[in-house]
Amino acid sequence: MNKKVYIQIYGCQMSERDGATFRAMAEGCGYVTTTEREDADLVVVTTCCVRESAENRIMGNIGHLSRWKRQKPGRILAVAGCLVQQEGALERLRRRAPHVDIWLGAFEQERFTDLLREGKPGAAVAAAPPAGPPVEPAPLAERGKLSANVNIIYGCDNHCAYCVVPLVRGPERSRPPRDVLEETRRLADSGVREVVLLGQNVNSYGKAEGWREDFAWLLREVARTPGLWRVRFTTSHPRDMTDALIAAAAEEPAVCPHFHLPLQAGSDRILRAMNRGYTAAYYLEQARAIRRALPEARISTDIIVGFPGETEEDFAATMDLTREICFSQAFTFMYSRRSGTAAAALPGQVPREVKRERLRRLMALQAEMSLAWRRSLVGSRQEVLVTGPSKSDAALLSGQTAGREITVFPGGPADVGTLAPVLIKEVNSWTMFGEITRN
Ligand code: 5AD
Ligand code: SF4
């Protein structure tokens, strides 16, 4: 009988993609995927270190896995990704979690197969990425999946004062256009209908390499892949937004009208201290330019509250901009001090209680805005990529709009895997409800 692999993902979509790569590699070694951790012979955890809370949760979970390992001899635990890649982290992690068999940094994914085959504890953590263009270590095995994540650029050259990512994921390196296009073509041929182009800053695609092919060009090329219905992309840095990108989204039918544009803060003083390279007015102008070209465009965002030195007045500016722009969705975080970053040394660290209270107010405002956004869609017809039965009511189908709104409606098995036109009738804070209208 085949051994089973269970993949546990923490962090962003790039970490999720790492998990898919490890799954493909484990399958290449004869494992089959399971969704039950208790059945697994191999657990791979992909990790995140962007905030202390993520780190604590992951360490807690790895701790629990020591019991899982003891329950059956021969079980293998592998831990990979950003947390492992942090400077000096490996020694500290090994002391805290001696039961982990395989440690893999961010640049050593292709070593996973060897370590697995060797069948003895090991670690592969390199300080820097290998020279030359980045290569994916394994083709994805997305059988039966409608959506797949495709890396286009690794690393980050921005030095946002709060962020540990450039320290762990290294400098920006783009995948050659040919590789990206080959992968998307292959995915479309295997039945994938939606791809998400991934990078810490997709707008920097090809810049470090000095390529003529920029992100707007790549997006158009991917959007023309036969068999692909939808292309998404994340994340865009507001500073690097271009009219060419907005035009590509407006003109290519397969490109989803959705921009994930992390705002981070609404106060110019804080944006400067964060080293973001734009002002609130500039951000607002970008948002307006998007909506001028694409009135239905969703703009989603990330916001940090309690950056060092943030006053009540600064925070009020964040609230004002959040209200003004009406984000379709916002991921909101309390600032977390990360060692090695510029902001860790700044004076004026904001007390936890103050951060928590600001987060609470911002989340309450965003809940209102998300609902307002969804209400504005009532009466409209949205194309929904139908993924399967609804989790809360198996008699209904569920899927996502081009703007990632989860939408639930009646339908039959033949609708699954199609792009269904759905008339939106009702919404709540999480879900939209409607019915298929084909005419
Ligand atoms: N503290 C809190 N949030 C952070 N992010 C990045 N670094 C930190 C930090 N030190 C948030 C940013 C980023 C998202 C992925 O995580 O909002 O866009
Ligand atoms: Fe993703 Fe950043 Fe977390 Fe790494 S640290 S998993 S790049 S969010």
PDB file of all heavy atoms in Angstrom, residues 11 56 60 67 96 136 149 185 198 203 221 249 253 283 290 304 307 337 343 389 391 404 407 418 428:
ATOM      1  N   GLY A  11       0.775  30.654   6.208  1.00  0.00           N
ATOM      2  CA  GLY A  11       1.288  31.814   5.483  1.00  0.00           C
ATOM      3  C   GLY A  11       0.559  32.084   4.181  1.00  0.00           C
ATOM      4  O   GLY A  11      -0.588  31.683   3.993  1.00  0.00           O
ATOM      5  N   ASN A  56       4.360  31.650  16.480  1.00  0.00           N
ATOM      6  CA  ASN A  56       3.935  30.929  17.680  1.00  0.00           C
ATOM      7  C   ASN A  56       2.987  29.790  17.356  1.00  0.00           C
ATOM      8  O   ASN A  56       3.087  28.694  17.914  1.00  0.00           O
ATOM      9  CB  ASN A  56       3.261  31.886  18.668  1.00  0.00           C
ATOM     10  CG  ASN A  56       4.258  32.874  19.244  1.00  0.00           C
ATOM     11  OD1 ASN A  56       5.475  32.649  19.179  1.00  0.00           O
ATOM     12  ND2 ASN A  56       3.764  33.972  19.779  1.00  0.00           N
ATOM     13  N   GLY A  60       3.786  25.822  17.977  1.00  0.00           N
ATOM     14  CA  GLY A  60       2.862  25.025  18.783  1.00  0.00           C
ATOM     15  C   GLY A  60       2.473  23.765  18.031  1.00  0.00           C
ATOM     16  O   GLY A  60       2.486  22.651  18.581  1.00  0.00           O
ATOM     17  N   ARG A  67       3.901  14.049  19.188  1.00  0.00           N
ATOM     18  CA  ARG A  67       3.044  12.918  19.588  1.00  0.00           C
ATOM     19  C   ARG A  67       2.659  12.086  18.362  1.00  0.00           C
ATOM     20  O   ARG A  67       2.711  10.860  18.392  1.00  0.00           O
ATOM     21  CB  ARG A  67       1.773  13.440  20.273  1.00  0.00           C
ATOM     22  CG  ARG A  67       1.560  12.791  21.621  1.00  0.00           C
ATOM     23  CD  ARG A  67       0.225  13.116  22.209  1.00  0.00           C
ATOM     24  NE  ARG A  67      -0.825  12.214  21.769  1.00  0.00           N
ATOM     25  CZ  ARG A  67      -2.064  12.605  21.503  1.00  0.00           C
ATOM     26  NH1 ARG A  67      -2.398  13.866  21.618  1.00  0.00           N
ATOM     27  NH2 ARG A  67      -2.953  11.731  21.124  1.00  0.00           N
ATOM     28  N   ARG A  96      14.482  23.383  19.741  1.00  0.00           N
ATOM     29  CA  ARG A  96      13.088  23.399  20.207  1.00  0.00           C
ATOM     30  C   ARG A  96      12.284  22.227  19.678  1.00  0.00           C
ATOM     31  O   ARG A  96      11.310  21.808  20.298  1.00  0.00           O
ATOM     32  CB  ARG A  96      12.402  24.698  19.768  1.00  0.00           C
ATOM     33  CG  ARG A  96      12.792  25.864  20.647  1.00  0.00           C
ATOM     34  CD  ARG A  96      12.072  27.113  20.219  1.00  0.00           C
ATOM     35  NE  ARG A  96      10.640  27.093  20.490  1.00  0.00           N
ATOM     36  CZ  ARG A  96       9.826  28.078  20.147  1.00  0.00           C
ATOM     37  NH1 ARG A  96      10.290  29.112  19.498  1.00  0.00           N
ATOM     38  NH2 ARG A  96       8.538  28.008  20.437  1.00  0.00           N
ATOM     39  N   GLU A 136      11.482  25.809 -11.040  1.00  0.00           N
ATOM     40  CA  GLU A 136      10.568  25.056 -10.160  1.00  0.00           C
ATOM     41  C   GLU A 136      11.052  23.616 -10.083  1.00  0.00           C
ATOM     42  O   GLU A 136      11.308  22.993 -11.116  1.00  0.00           O
ATOM     43  CB  GLU A 136       9.142  25.091 -10.723  1.00  0.00           C
ATOM     44  CG  GLU A 136       8.443  26.419 -10.565  1.00  0.00           C
ATOM     45  CD  GLU A 136       8.114  26.746  -9.119  1.00  0.00           C
ATOM     46  OE1 GLU A 136       8.047  25.834  -8.274  1.00  0.00           O
ATOM     47  OE2 GLU A 136       7.933  27.936  -8.835  1.00  0.00           O
ATOM     48  N   ASN A 149      -1.742  27.886  -8.462  1.00  0.00           N
ATOM     49  CA  ASN A 149      -0.841  29.011  -8.213  1.00  0.00           C
ATOM     50  C   ASN A 149       0.415  28.853  -9.054  1.00  0.00           C
ATOM     51  O   ASN A 149       1.015  27.786  -9.076  1.00  0.00           O
ATOM     52  CB  ASN A 149      -0.418  29.020  -6.735  1.00  0.00           C
ATOM     53  CG  ASN A 149      -1.577  29.359  -5.815  1.00  0.00           C
ATOM     54  OD1 ASN A 149      -2.407  30.182  -6.147  1.00  0.00           O
ATOM     55  ND2 ASN A 149      -1.614  28.722  -4.657  1.00  0.00           N
ATOM     56  N   ARG A 185       0.333  26.713 -19.794  1.00  0.00           N
ATOM     57  CA  ARG A 185      -0.255  25.924 -20.882  1.00  0.00           C
ATOM     58  C   ARG A 185      -0.519  24.485 -20.431  1.00  0.00           C
ATOM     59  O   ARG A 185      -1.572  23.924 -20.663  1.00  0.00           O
ATOM     60  CB  ARG A 185       0.688  25.910 -22.086  1.00  0.00           C
ATOM     61  CG  ARG A 185       0.039  26.465 -23.320  1.00  0.00           C
ATOM     62  CD  ARG A 185       1.034  26.584 -24.459  1.00  0.00           C
ATOM     63  NE  ARG A 185       1.600  27.912 -24.536  1.00  0.00           N
ATOM     64  CZ  ARG A 185       2.890  28.189 -24.673  1.00  0.00           C
ATOM     65  NH1 ARG A 185       3.792  27.241 -24.742  1.00  0.00           N
ATOM     66  NH2 ARG A 185       3.300  29.432 -24.732  1.00  0.00           N
ATOM     67  N   LEU A 198       1.897  34.577  -9.007  1.00  0.00           N
ATOM     68  CA  LEU A 198       2.339  34.938  -7.662  1.00  0.00           C
ATOM     69  C   LEU A 198       3.695  35.602  -7.623  1.00  0.00           C
ATOM     70  O   LEU A 198       4.615  35.229  -8.349  1.00  0.00           O
ATOM     71  CB  LEU A 198       2.463  33.676  -6.794  1.00  0.00           C
ATOM     72  CG  LEU A 198       1.217  32.871  -6.512  1.00  0.00           C
ATOM     73  CD1 LEU A 198       1.585  31.686  -5.623  1.00  0.00           C
ATOM     74  CD2 LEU A 198       0.172  33.738  -5.830  1.00  0.00           C
ATOM     75  N   ASN A 203       4.604  43.356 -10.003  1.00  0.00           N
ATOM     76  CA  ASN A 203       4.896  44.477 -10.910  1.00  0.00           C
ATOM     77  C   ASN A 203       6.384  44.628 -11.199  1.00  0.00           C
ATOM     78  O   ASN A 203       6.763  45.345 -12.106  1.00  0.00           O
ATOM     79  CB  ASN A 203       4.386  45.788 -10.330  1.00  0.00           C
ATOM     80  CG  ASN A 203       2.914  45.738 -10.025  1.00  0.00           C
ATOM     81  OD1 ASN A 203       2.501  44.961  -9.188  1.00  0.00           O
ATOM     82  ND2 ASN A 203       2.131  46.510 -10.724  1.00  0.00           N
ATOM     83  N   GLU A 221      -0.129  37.675 -22.082  1.00  0.00           N
ATOM     84  CA  GLU A 221       0.224  36.394 -22.700  1.00  0.00           C
ATOM     85  C   GLU A 221      -0.466  35.237 -21.985  1.00  0.00           C
ATOM     86  O   GLU A 221      -1.035  34.349 -22.619  1.00  0.00           O
ATOM     87  CB  GLU A 221       1.745  36.180 -22.664  1.00  0.00           C
ATOM     88  CG  GLU A 221       2.525  37.056 -23.606  1.00  0.00           C
ATOM     89  CD  GLU A 221       2.182  36.784 -25.069  1.00  0.00           C
ATOM     90  OE1 GLU A 221       2.277  35.613 -25.490  1.00  0.00           O
ATOM     91  OE2 GLU A 221       1.823  37.748 -25.775  1.00  0.00           O
ATOM     92  N   ALA A 249      -5.674  44.545 -17.656  1.00  0.00           N
ATOM     93  CA  ALA A 249      -6.806  43.999 -16.903  1.00  0.00           C
ATOM     94  C   ALA A 249      -8.128  44.401 -17.555  1.00  0.00           C
ATOM     95  O   ALA A 249      -9.089  43.628 -17.568  1.00  0.00           O
ATOM     96  CB  ALA A 249      -6.745  44.475 -15.450  1.00  0.00           C
ATOM     97  N   PRO A 253     -10.187  39.721 -21.526  1.00  0.00           N
ATOM     98  CA  PRO A 253     -11.368  39.194 -20.829  1.00  0.00           C
ATOM     99  C   PRO A 253     -11.022  38.201 -19.718  1.00  0.00           C
ATOM    100  O   PRO A 253     -11.751  38.111 -18.723  1.00  0.00           O
ATOM    101  CB  PRO A 253     -12.155  38.508 -21.942  1.00  0.00           C
ATOM    102  CG  PRO A 253     -11.530  38.908 -23.217  1.00  0.00           C
ATOM    103  CD  PRO A 253     -10.201  39.496 -22.967  1.00  0.00           C
ATOM    104  N   TYR A 283      -1.973  56.773  -3.614  1.00  0.00           N
ATOM    105  CA  TYR A 283      -2.723  55.509  -3.544  1.00  0.00           C
ATOM    106  C   TYR A 283      -4.161  55.724  -4.018  1.00  0.00           C
ATOM    107  O   TYR A 283      -4.692  54.959  -4.834  1.00  0.00           O
ATOM    108  CB  TYR A 283      -2.702  54.941  -2.118  1.00  0.00           C
ATOM    109  CG  TYR A 283      -3.324  53.567  -2.030  1.00  0.00           C
ATOM    110  CD1 TYR A 283      -2.537  52.424  -1.982  1.00  0.00           C
ATOM    111  CD2 TYR A 283      -4.707  53.404  -2.019  1.00  0.00           C
ATOM    112  CE1 TYR A 283      -3.095  51.149  -1.928  1.00  0.00           C
ATOM    113  CE2 TYR A 283      -5.287  52.149  -1.971  1.00  0.00           C
ATOM    114  CZ  TYR A 283      -4.481  51.021  -1.923  1.00  0.00           C
ATOM    115  OH  TYR A 283      -5.052  49.778  -1.878  1.00  0.00           O
ATOM    116  N   ILE A 290      -7.959  52.822 -11.458  1.00  0.00           N
ATOM    117  CA  ILE A 290      -8.455  51.452 -11.669  1.00  0.00           C
ATOM    118  C   ILE A 290      -9.960  51.482 -11.902  1.00  0.00           C
ATOM    119  O   ILE A 290     -10.483  50.876 -12.834  1.00  0.00           O
ATOM    120  CB  ILE A 290      -8.101  50.555 -10.455  1.00  0.00           C
ATOM    121  CG1 ILE A 290      -6.589  50.317 -10.396  1.00  0.00           C
ATOM    122  CG2 ILE A 290      -8.874  49.243 -10.506  1.00  0.00           C
ATOM    123  CD1 ILE A 290      -6.113  49.658  -9.110  1.00  0.00           C
ATOM    124  N   ILE A 304      -1.657  47.519   8.248  1.00  0.00           N
ATOM    125  CA  ILE A 304      -1.014  47.274   9.549  1.00  0.00           C
ATOM    126  C   ILE A 304      -1.412  48.399  10.496  1.00  0.00           C
ATOM    127  O   ILE A 304      -1.329  49.570  10.120  1.00  0.00           O
ATOM    128  CB  ILE A 304       0.527  47.261   9.396  1.00  0.00           C
ATOM    129  CG1 ILE A 304       0.964  46.128   8.466  1.00  0.00           C
ATOM    130  CG2 ILE A 304       1.200  47.149  10.760  1.00  0.00           C
ATOM    131  CD1 ILE A 304       2.460  46.126   8.144  1.00  0.00           C
ATOM    132  N   PHE A 307       2.033  50.626  13.804  1.00  0.00           N
ATOM    133  CA  PHE A 307       3.446  50.754  13.425  1.00  0.00           C
ATOM    134  C   PHE A 307       4.081  51.741  14.405  1.00  0.00           C
ATOM    135  O   PHE A 307       3.416  52.661  14.883  1.00  0.00           O
ATOM    136  CB  PHE A 307       3.533  51.279  11.981  1.00  0.00           C
ATOM    137  CG  PHE A 307       4.930  51.353  11.448  1.00  0.00           C
ATOM    138  CD1 PHE A 307       5.553  50.214  10.954  1.00  0.00           C
ATOM    139  CD2 PHE A 307       5.637  52.551  11.473  1.00  0.00           C
ATOM    140  CE1 PHE A 307       6.851  50.279  10.472  1.00  0.00           C
ATOM    141  CE2 PHE A 307       6.939  52.624  10.982  1.00  0.00           C
ATOM    142  CZ  PHE A 307       7.548  51.483  10.490  1.00  0.00           C
ATOM    143  N   ARG A 337       6.858  43.205  15.804  1.00  0.00           N
ATOM    144  CA  ARG A 337       8.265  43.594  15.717  1.00  0.00           C
ATOM    145  C   ARG A 337       9.101  42.392  15.289  1.00  0.00           C
ATOM    146  O   ARG A 337       9.083  41.365  15.959  1.00  0.00           O
ATOM    147  CB  ARG A 337       8.670  44.047  17.116  1.00  0.00           C
ATOM    148  CG  ARG A 337       9.927  44.800  17.194  1.00  0.00           C
ATOM    149  CD  ARG A 337      10.069  45.257  18.637  1.00  0.00           C
ATOM    150  NE  ARG A 337      11.238  46.058  18.819  1.00  0.00           N
ATOM    151  CZ  ARG A 337      11.518  46.686  19.939  1.00  0.00           C
ATOM    152  NH1 ARG A 337      10.673  46.606  20.967  1.00  0.00           N
ATOM    153  NH2 ARG A 337      12.615  47.381  20.043  1.00  0.00           N
ATOM    154  N   ALA A 343      12.342  48.692  11.351  1.00  0.00           N
ATOM    155  CA  ALA A 343      11.356  49.209  12.300  1.00  0.00           C
ATOM    156  C   ALA A 343      11.540  48.643  13.706  1.00  0.00           C
ATOM    157  O   ALA A 343      11.070  49.236  14.684  1.00  0.00           O
ATOM    158  CB  ALA A 343       9.951  48.903  11.806  1.00  0.00           C
ATOM    159  N   PRO A 389     -20.344  21.439  -4.311  1.00  0.00           N
ATOM    160  CA  PRO A 389     -21.440  21.703  -3.383  1.00  0.00           C
ATOM    161  C   PRO A 389     -21.002  22.706  -2.306  1.00  0.00           C
ATOM    162  O   PRO A 389     -19.831  22.761  -1.952  1.00  0.00           O
ATOM    163  CB  PRO A 389     -21.712  20.335  -2.737  1.00  0.00           C
ATOM    164  CG  PRO A 389     -20.956  19.337  -3.538  1.00  0.00           C
ATOM    165  CD  PRO A 389     -19.886  20.049  -4.282  1.00  0.00           C
ATOM    166  N   LYS A 391     -20.390  24.259   1.287  1.00  0.00           N
ATOM    167  CA  LYS A 391     -19.984  23.587   2.530  1.00  0.00           C
ATOM    168  C   LYS A 391     -21.101  23.617   3.564  1.00  0.00           C
ATOM    169  O   LYS A 391     -21.248  22.698   4.359  1.00  0.00           O
ATOM    170  CB  LYS A 391     -18.737  24.272   3.113  1.00  0.00           C
ATOM    171  CG  LYS A 391     -17.477  23.846   2.383  1.00  0.00           C
ATOM    172  CD  LYS A 391     -16.211  24.146   3.209  1.00  0.00           C
ATOM    173  CE  LYS A 391     -14.979  23.809   2.412  1.00  0.00           C
ATOM    174  NZ  LYS A 391     -14.344  25.000   1.803  1.00  0.00           N
ATOM    175  N   ARG A 404     -13.490  37.157  -6.230  1.00  0.00           N
ATOM    176  CA  ARG A 404     -13.293  36.209  -5.131  1.00  0.00           C
ATOM    177  C   ARG A 404     -14.419  36.196  -4.110  1.00  0.00           C
ATOM    178  O   ARG A 404     -14.256  35.660  -3.019  1.00  0.00           O
ATOM    179  CB  ARG A 404     -11.955  36.441  -4.413  1.00  0.00           C
ATOM    180  CG  ARG A 404     -10.766  36.160  -5.289  1.00  0.00           C
ATOM    181  CD  ARG A 404      -9.501  36.063  -4.489  1.00  0.00           C
ATOM    182  NE  ARG A 404      -9.443  34.874  -3.673  1.00  0.00           N
ATOM    183  CZ  ARG A 404      -8.538  34.666  -2.738  1.00  0.00           C
ATOM    184  NH1 ARG A 404      -7.622  35.558  -2.488  1.00  0.00           N
ATOM    185  NH2 ARG A 404      -8.535  33.557  -2.039  1.00  0.00           N
ATOM    186  N   THR A 407     -19.989  32.667  -3.630  1.00  0.00           N
ATOM    187  CA  THR A 407     -21.373  32.805  -4.064  1.00  0.00           C
ATOM    188  C   THR A 407     -22.039  31.430  -4.066  1.00  0.00           C
ATOM    189  O   THR A 407     -21.455  30.443  -4.518  1.00  0.00           O
ATOM    190  CB  THR A 407     -21.410  33.432  -5.482  1.00  0.00           C
ATOM    191  OG1 THR A 407     -20.642  34.634  -5.446  1.00  0.00           O
ATOM    192  CG2 THR A 407     -22.815  33.733  -5.929  1.00  0.00           C
ATOM    193  N   THR A 418     -17.937  24.707 -14.370  1.00  0.00           N
ATOM    194  CA  THR A 418     -18.259  25.677 -15.429  1.00  0.00           C
ATOM    195  C   THR A 418     -18.164  27.097 -14.875  1.00  0.00           C
ATOM    196  O   THR A 418     -18.055  27.305 -13.673  1.00  0.00           O
ATOM    197  CB  THR A 418     -19.687  25.482 -15.991  1.00  0.00           C
ATOM    198  OG1 THR A 418     -20.632  25.863 -14.977  1.00  0.00           O
ATOM    199  CG2 THR A 418     -19.934  24.043 -16.406  1.00  0.00           C
ATOM    200  N   ASN A 428     -24.660  38.567   2.555  1.00  0.00           N
ATOM    201  CA  ASN A 428     -24.326  38.884   3.937  1.00  0.00           C
ATOM    202  C   ASN A 428     -22.832  39.177   3.989  1.00  0.00           C
ATOM    203  O   ASN A 428     -22.187  39.303   2.948  1.00  0.00           O
ATOM    204  CB  ASN A 428     -24.780  37.790   4.912  1.00  0.00           C
ATOM    205  CG  ASN A 428     -24.044  36.480   4.703  1.00  0.00           C
ATOM    206  OD1 ASN A 428     -22.915  36.453   4.229  1.00  0.00           O
ATOM    207  ND2 ASN A 428     -24.703  35.390   5.053  1.00  0.00           N
TER     208      ASN A 428
END
